């Protein structure tokens, strides 16, 4: 396995080889439904060996409305890491405004979806979220199951096994630029799509024209403690927002009550004895209630208010029968953990949890276990660990974040923005994926002004809801 230091040492050589490798075959666009066109870019499996085996990166293009006056392509990645290209025909509405000026070109990361997507023969393990965060024994058992999952997937990954990290992804992104015939890259990265951007600006900073980063996933912090402690305060603040809503809203089952007092009473009772859930034929422990509590997803608030009110009467059926959220696709955790090979041992995460409980004692502390959920037990192969950005020759970059986003908290975006000379941080009211999934007209207007004319918002600008 090559180390990150060895990999970095060949960056200057590879920067010169990227254009040649990426431009060797012209793009051949084909219709893939709903007015969307698709194509593939051939790239090396390993950019450290640019003349070796090759793989494909899948693209989906939503053409600009006026081809005669368009500004060119805007390359986009919506995050995950995961597949987006197969869904672009259904996502066209999210990019409709951008097609006034750009061909919007979405790509899937290597190994996902249209980019020769890999399917592992066995699904990744799913922890018992009713008892998560786990005790040591349960955590070690889960880590072993996760290790076996990755081992079983190795034959399916083939040559890509060690090559899923964002260093490879940044080079793939530059190959896309070259294949599109562009001297400079215009890029919109959302969530994990910002990880590729953070590495791109360091390796190919002189190739950037405009770059908009939304809901930044910080790949610049090598310390799992401070990285993990960026989110709990936002999660806790979102829970307090829920409590305020539940106390005041006419449709809330807890209207007129001190919701935080109700919560504390229910948790104390569940810690003493798990609460019966007769409709589910079992009991519910305090940890499960903490995991069920809503955060920034306001659509969940009415149902949880009912569940908490019911639990306060001694019946936790609504909590026990709630629909659990979706799990990460199998390959996503392998790619993510190659970029974030943190120490996710039980002792490491437990230490961070203790500190998080001091800052976010009701629910925020739970988020420190998420990286353990993804990465526990996975072998550290093909890694490209987080490190500070050292970028040169960068134009101004626009970085935005929703102030209620606890998945990619504002502290991530602020930290990354501070390392991009001349960049501007834009705060917005709301949660994750502000441009793509949000409806904040102010933010969209600021993004359009920047991408089209390079106009940055004034320092300290906040886009209200």
């Amino acid at each position: 396995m090559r180390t990150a230091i060895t990999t970095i040492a060949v960056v200057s050589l590879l920067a010169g080889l990227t254009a040649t490798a990426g431009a060797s075959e012209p793009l051949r666009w084909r219709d893939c439904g709903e007015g969307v066109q698709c194509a593939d870019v051939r790239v090396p499996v390993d950019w450290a060996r640019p003349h070796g085996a090759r793989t494909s990166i899948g693209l989906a293009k939503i053409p600009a409305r006026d081809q005669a006056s368009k500004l060119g392509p805007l390359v986009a990645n919506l995050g995950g890491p995961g597949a987006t290209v197969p869904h672009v025909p259904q996502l066209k509405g999210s990019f409709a405004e951008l097609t006034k000026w750009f061909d919007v070109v979405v790509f899937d990361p290597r190994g996902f979806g249209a980019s020769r997507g890999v399917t592992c023969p066995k699904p990744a393990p799913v922890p018992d979220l009713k008892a998560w965060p786990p005790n040591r024994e349960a955590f070690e058992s889960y880590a072993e199951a996760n290790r076996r999952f990755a081992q079983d997937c190795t034959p399916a990954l083939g040559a890509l096994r060690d090559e899923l990290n964002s260093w490879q992804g940044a080079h793939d992104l530059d190959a896309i630029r070259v294949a599109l015939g562009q001297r400079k890259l215009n890029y919109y990265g959302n969530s994990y799509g910002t990880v590729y951007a953070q590495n791109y600006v360091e390796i190919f900073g002189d190739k950037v024209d405009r770059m908009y980063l939304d809901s930044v996933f910080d790949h610049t912090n090598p310390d799992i403690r401070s990285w993990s402690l960026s989110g709990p305060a936002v999660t806790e603040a979102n829970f307090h927002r829920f409590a305020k809503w539940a106390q005041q809203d006419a449709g809330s089952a807890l209207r007129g009550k001190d919701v935080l007092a109700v919560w504390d009473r229910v948790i104390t009772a569940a810690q003493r004895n798990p609460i019966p859930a007769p409709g589910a034929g079992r009991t519910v422990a305090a940890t499960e209630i903490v995991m069920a509590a809503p955060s920034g997803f306001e659509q969940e608030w009415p149902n949880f208010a009912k569940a908490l009110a019911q639990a306060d009467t001694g019946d936790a059926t609504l909590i026990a029968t709630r629909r659990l959220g979706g799990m990460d696709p199998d390959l996503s955790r392998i790619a993510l953990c190659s970029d974030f090979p943190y120490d996710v041992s039980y002792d490491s995460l437990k230490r961070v949890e203790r500190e998080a409980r001091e800052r976010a004692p009701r629910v925020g502390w739970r988020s420190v276990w998420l990286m353990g959920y993804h990465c526990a037990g996975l072998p550290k192969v093909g890694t490209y660990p987080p490190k500070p950005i050292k970028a040169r020759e960068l134009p101004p970059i626009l970085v935005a974040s929703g102030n209620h986003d606890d998945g990619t908290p504002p502290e991530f975006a602020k930290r990354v923005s501070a390392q991009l000379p001349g960049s501007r941080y834009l705060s917005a009211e709301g949660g994750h994926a502000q441009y793509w999934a949000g409806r904040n007209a102010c933010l969209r207007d600021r993004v359009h002004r920047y991408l089209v004319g390079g106009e940055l918002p004034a320092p300290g600008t906040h886009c209200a809801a």
Side-chain angles (χ1 to χ4, degrees):
M1 180 185 75
R2 296 181 314 279
T3 66
I5 293 175
T6 302
T7 303
I8 295 168
V10 298
V11 165
S12 58
L13 169 65
L14 298 179
L17 294 172
T18 300
T20 302
S24 59
E25 300 173 18
L27 290 177
R28 297 179 180 178
W29 294 103
R30 60 188 182 274
D31 178 68
C32 51
E34 303 294 329
V36 176
Q37 300 172 2
C38 293
D40 301 288
V41 178
R42 298 281 290 168
V43 300
V45 167
D46 179 5
W47 281 96
R49 298 174 177 83
H51 300 295
R54 300 175 79 77
T55 188
S56 294
I57 303 299
L59 310 179
K61 178 172 70 174
I62 310 171
R65 294 178 232 168
D66 186 347
Q67 289 291 302
S69 62
K70 68 182 181 182
L71 299 178
L74 174 68
V75 181
N77 183 272
L78 298 185
T84 302
V85 165
H87 309 293
V88 168
Q90 291 76 48
L91 296 172
K92 283 176 61 180
S94 299
F95 302 109
E97 291 178 272
L98 290 172
T99 59
K100 180 179 179 181
W101 307 283
F102 302 100
D103 292 329
V104 178
V105 180
V106 178
F107 75 93
D108 281 343
R110 52 176 50 213
F112 290 91
S115 297
R116 293 202 173 175
V118 174
T119 300
C120 295
K122 296 179 181 178
V126 178
D128 182 3
L129 294 181
K130 298 188 297 294
W132 188 272
N135 58 30
R136 183 185 298 275
E137 181 180 5
F139 185 84
E140 297 298 341
S141 176
Y142 175 76
E144 174 58 23
N146 212 25
R147 185 196 65 77
R148 289 197 304 270
F149 150 73
Q151 184 179 50
D152 292 341
C153 193
T154 296
L157 284 166
L160 286 175
R161 177 176 182 262
D162 294 348
E163 317 299 349
L164 294 178
N165 62 60
S166 58
W167 184 86
Q168 302 285 358
H171 285 78
D172 294 342
L173 180 54
D174 198 57
I176 294 170
R177 174 192 65 81
V178 173
L180 290 169
Q182 299 301 301
R183 190 174 64 88
K184 300 276 188 175
L185 175 72
N186 288 317
Y187 182 71
Y188 159 34
N190 178 76
S191 194
Y192 210 84
T194 69
V195 175
Y196 308 121
Q198 289 164 62
N199 290 290
Y200 188 90
V201 298
E202 180 162 306
I203 304 168
F204 302 106
D206 62 330
K207 303 298 184 185
V208 176
D209 187 6
R210 308 271 161 74
M211 182 173 279
Y212 168 57
L213 306 183
D214 189 320
S215 304
V216 172
F217 203 91
D218 181 15
H219 191 247
T220 72
N221 187 352
D223 177 32
I224 188 175
R225 173 189 164 276
S226 61
W227 191 93
S228 297
L229 290 174
S230 298
V234 184
T235 302
E236 194 82 355
N238 282 334
F239 185 72
H240 281 258
R241 289 174 55 233
F242 157 75
K244 182 178 180 180
W245 170 88
Q247 184 175 3
Q248 298 176 353
D249 193 271
S252 168
L254 293 168
R255 186 185 184 190
K257 296 186 177 181
D258 182 338
V259 177
L260 294 179
V262 172
W263 169 266
D264 292 343
R265 184 164 60 242
V266 168
I267 292 297
T268 299
Q271 288 172 335
R272 189 164 44 244
N273 290 299
I275 299 173
R282 63 181 182 87
T283 59
V284 171
T287 299
E288 183 176 357
I289 301 171
V290 171
M291 294 301 293
S295 183
F297 297 105
E298 297 174 10
Q299 62 269 31
E300 298 176 356
W301 290 0
N303 286 336
F304 188 74
K306 293 178 184 177
L308 185 58
Q310 184 192 59
D312 195 33
T313 69
D315 180 353
T317 295
L318 288 177
I319 291 175
T321 56
R322 80 193 192 283
R323 184 174 64 87
L324 298 177
M327 302 295 106
D328 58 326
D330 296 342
L331 195 63
S332 293
R333 63 179 63 183
I334 295 177
L336 179 148
C337 301
S338 70
D339 282 328
F340 294 88
Y342 287 138
D343 176 4
V344 291
S345 63
Y346 182 82
D347 288 334
S348 171
L349 295 178
K350 200 66 179 176
R351 284 193 297 271
V352 181
E353 181 200 313
R354 283 194 288 268
E355 190 168 350
R357 281 181 180 270
E358 297 176 1
R359 306 182 184 192
R362 287 188 170 93
V363 301
W365 58 268
R366 69 188 182 189
S367 66
V368 304
W369 289 90
L370 288 175
M371 194 57 79
Y373 161 77
H374 295 297
C375 301
L378 289 187
K380 289 180 170 58
V381 296
T383 61
Y384 192 60
K387 59 181 179 57
I389 297 173
K390 296 179 181 178
R392 305 177 185 85
E393 301 184 57
L394 274 185
I397 290 173
L398 180 61
V399 181
S401 182
N403 59 349
H404 304 313
D405 183 357
D406 60 351
T408 55
E411 187 175 331
F412 281 2
K414 293 176 183 177
R415 184 182 297 134
V416 169
S417 180
Q419 298 174 62
L420 302 174
S423 72
R424 186 63 45 79
Y425 175 71
L426 174 63
S427 172
E429 190 75 15
H432 193 65
Q434 278 290 301
Y435 188 94
W436 170 41
R439 295 293 181 267
N440 191 313
C442 164
L443 177 127
R444 281 183 165 250
D445 176 64
R446 298 294 183 176
V447 171
H448 296 158
R449 291 188 195 183
Y450 166 73
L451 289 175
V452 173
E455 179 185 343
L456 290 171
T461 297
H462 174 75
C463 282

